[in-house]
């Protein structure tokens, strides 16, 4: 995340800057990660590509949480027919292979970072809605929640004071773990040409263009691939750490 924020200061060159005469050069002191077929510095493009991947991941997950959590909370609190219909609709969405559905939606909307974020948010939103619904169903049956309702507390106050505090910890953990999944989905769609369009740098797009030169210039694929791997690993470790910190059952003694 720091690399993405400080990309202009960390990158030795612009992500689209050309260096004539230095096409497909191996890593060196001048170009630490080598250059691509157009003479662009791979290190600079990997650094700026972090902005694309994290913007897609943070944007999609934030939008999915902003829509899914209130929706799931309302569904769980209402219960009855509303809950039944909503869950059947979510079952329909879960029945579609996520990547194929993402390809279809992005292809219909047109390849761009904005459409990519909207598509991934649409795919991940039901997960947060189902999570919020399940916590709401459990929490609203607790004695202190029923006591608040018996005393005449408004539904809005019950949700804000008694239900949301129980929803936030698992949602934060799920959101962190979903960031790694979204990075992989964004890289896969960019690999297929459905993400940010050239010359904008994206890790998946760099791997897609570099795969035809793998036998003579493996660094074109290696360094963006390492960036994806480290980002996914980092968010997975962060999610595991948050889960252990927020779940009282896992504190101090590790996993039961």
């Amino acid at each position: 995340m720091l690399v993405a924020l400080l990309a202009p200061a960390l990158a030795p060159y612009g992500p689209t800057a050309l260096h004539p005469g230095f096409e497909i050069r191996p890593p060196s002191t001048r170009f630490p990660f080598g250059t691509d077929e157009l003479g662009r510095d791979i290190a600079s493009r990997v650094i700026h590509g972090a902005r694309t991947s994290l913007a897609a991941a943070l944007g999609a997950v934030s939008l999915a949480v902003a829509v899914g959590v209130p929706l799931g909370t309302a569904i769980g609190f209402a219960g009855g027919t509303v809950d039944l219909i909503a869950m059947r609709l979510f079952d329909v969405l879960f029945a579609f292979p996520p990547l194929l559905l993402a390809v279809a939606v992005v292809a219909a909307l047109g390849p761009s970072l904005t459409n990519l974020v909207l598509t991934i948010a649409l795919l991940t939103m039901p997960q947060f809605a189902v999570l919020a619904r399940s916590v709401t169903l459990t929490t609203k049956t607790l004695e202190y929640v029923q006591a608040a309702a018996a005393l005449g507390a408004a539904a809005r106050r019950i949700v804000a004071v008694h239900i949301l505090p129980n929803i936030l910890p698992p949602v934060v953990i799920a959101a962190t773990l979903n960031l790694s999944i979204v990075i992989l989905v964004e890289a896969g769609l960019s690999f297929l040409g459905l993400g940010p369009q050239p010359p904008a740098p994206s890790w998946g797009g760099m791997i897609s263009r570099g795969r035809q030169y793998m036998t003579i210039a493996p660094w074109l694929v290696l360094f963006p691939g390492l960036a994806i791997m480290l980002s996914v690993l980092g968010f997975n470790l962060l999610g595991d750490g948050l889960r252990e910190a927020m779940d009282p059952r896992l504190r101090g003694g590790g996993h039961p």
Side-chain angles (χ1 to χ4, degrees):
M1 293 180 71
L2 287 174
V3 168
L5 291 172
L6 302 175
L10 295 176
Y13 307 98
T16 59
L18 304 178
H19 300 86
F22 290 92
E23 293 81 3
I24 310 188
R25 294 295 180 92
S28 63
T29 54
R30 180 175 178 181
F31 303 107
F33 291 178
T35 61
D36 63 10
E37 71 280 6
L38 298 178
R40 297 175 295 191
D41 179 44
I42 295 295
S44 300
R45 291 183 62 77
V46 168
I47 291 173
H48 281 273
R51 286 190 156 191
T52 302
S53 293
L54 289 180
L58 292 174
V61 172
S62 298
L63 184 58
V65 169
V67 176
V69 171
L71 179 61
T73 303
I75 292 170
F77 195 79
T81 305
V82 173
D83 179 69
L84 181 64
I85 295 175
M87 290 309 299
R88 297 295 76 78
L89 292 176
F90 288 149
D91 288 339
V92 172
L93 285 175
F94 288 138
F96 288 97
L99 189 57
L100 292 180
L101 183 59
V103 169
V105 174
V106 174
L109 296 177
S112 71
L113 181 60
T114 301
N115 292 339
L116 189 65
V117 169
L118 292 175
T119 300
I120 298 176
L122 174 65
L123 295 177
T124 54
M125 180 273 294
Q127 300 176 23
F128 293 103
V130 170
L131 176 60
R133 167 192 171 271
S134 65
V135 177
T136 301
L137 288 174
T138 302
T139 305
K140 75 176 187 178
T141 60
L142 299 178
E143 292 181 356
Y144 68 89
V145 178
Q146 293 181 345
L151 291 173
R156 182 178 302 176
R157 176 175 175 79
I158 293 175
V159 170
V161 176
H162 300 295
I163 294 180
L164 280 181
N166 291 287
I167 292 176
L168 289 180
V171 166
V172 169
I173 296 169
T176 306
L177 293 172
N178 265 272
L179 288 173
S180 61
I181 299 173
V182 172
I183 288 176
L184 288 174
V185 173
E186 183 275 331
L189 293 176
S190 295
F191 180 86
L192 297 174
L194 298 174
Q197 296 303 291
S202 67
W203 293 337
M206 293 174 66
I207 294 176
S208 177
R209 289 186 293 274
R211 73 186 190 279
Q212 56 186 319
Y213 302 101
M214 284 184 61
T215 55
I216 61 173
W219 59 86
L220 297 181
V221 173
L222 174 63
F223 292 110
L226 285 175
I228 295 172
M229 183 194 74
L230 292 174
S231 298
V232 171
L233 176 63
F235 280 118
N236 281 336
L237 292 176
L238 177 60
D240 288 340
L242 288 174
R243 181 171 57 189
E244 293 181 2
M246 292 183 173
D247 192 338
R249 296 171 299 176
L250 302 178
R251 291 177 188 166
H255 295 280

